[in-house]
Amino acid sequence: MKFLLTGASGFIGGHLCRHLLKTGHTVRAVCSAPERADSLRALAKNATALEFVSLEHAACHNPALWREACQGVEAVFHLAARAHRGDKSSPDALAAYRRANLETTRALATAACDAGVGHFI
């Protein structure tokens, strides 16, 4: 199967990516830290088994940016999220938290639905 995996360079995403690659699946990985992608590349025995997608964080709430990433995948594992609000005294802290978690998830789900992706996890 071919999967889209957000948060692929994170703790859980990295483990899931490794498992999917080891079991013969293809992964389209969205990584926020390109330098952490190198450890994932080393696991891909087949050069076409692992693709990387780069999306600008500031615009991830736009479904149009996710449409191409969702094309041809059978399932999405959405593991990217902002776990902390950062500086809570900042007037934009809650808005940034919601944009990263709520609006980005909604945009990705919309794009996955439009692309005919069968599963969204």
Side-chain angles (χ1 to χ4, degrees):
M1 287 182 72
K2 186 172 193 170
F3 297 97
L4 176 67
L5 173 59
T6 69
S9 63
F11 180 75
I12 295 171
H15 284 285
L16 178 58
C17 188
R18 286 175 184 87
H19 172 75
L20 292 171
L21 290 170
K22 285 180 184 177
T23 54
H25 297 286
T26 301
V27 177
R28 184 173 291 157
V30 181
C31 292
S32 62
E35 65 278 1
R36 295 172 80 185
D38 291 337
S39 65
L40 297 175
R41 271 191 196 94
L43 295 171
K45 294 175 185 149
N46 178 346
T48 61
L50 180 62
E51 310 172 23
F52 288 96
V53 174
S54 178
L55 296 174
E56 236 180 273
H57 285 286
C60 280
H61 61 280
N62 182 349
L65 292 179
W66 289 105
R67 285 194 183 104
E68 187 175 337
C70 289
Q71 291 300 315
V73 300
E74 297 169 69
V76 171
F77 285 101
H78 180 43
L79 301 176
R82 180 182 287 247
H84 307 284
R85 279 199 273 167
D87 181 7
K88 293 179 185 175
S89 65
S90 168
D92 294 336
L94 182 58
Y97 185 80
R98 286 184 175 154
R99 187 172 38 259
N101 293 328
L102 175 68
E103 294 173 25
T104 295
T105 301
R106 183 182 296 139
L108 176 54
T110 298
C113 186
D114 291 348
V117 174
H119 303 281
F120 189 92
I121 303 158

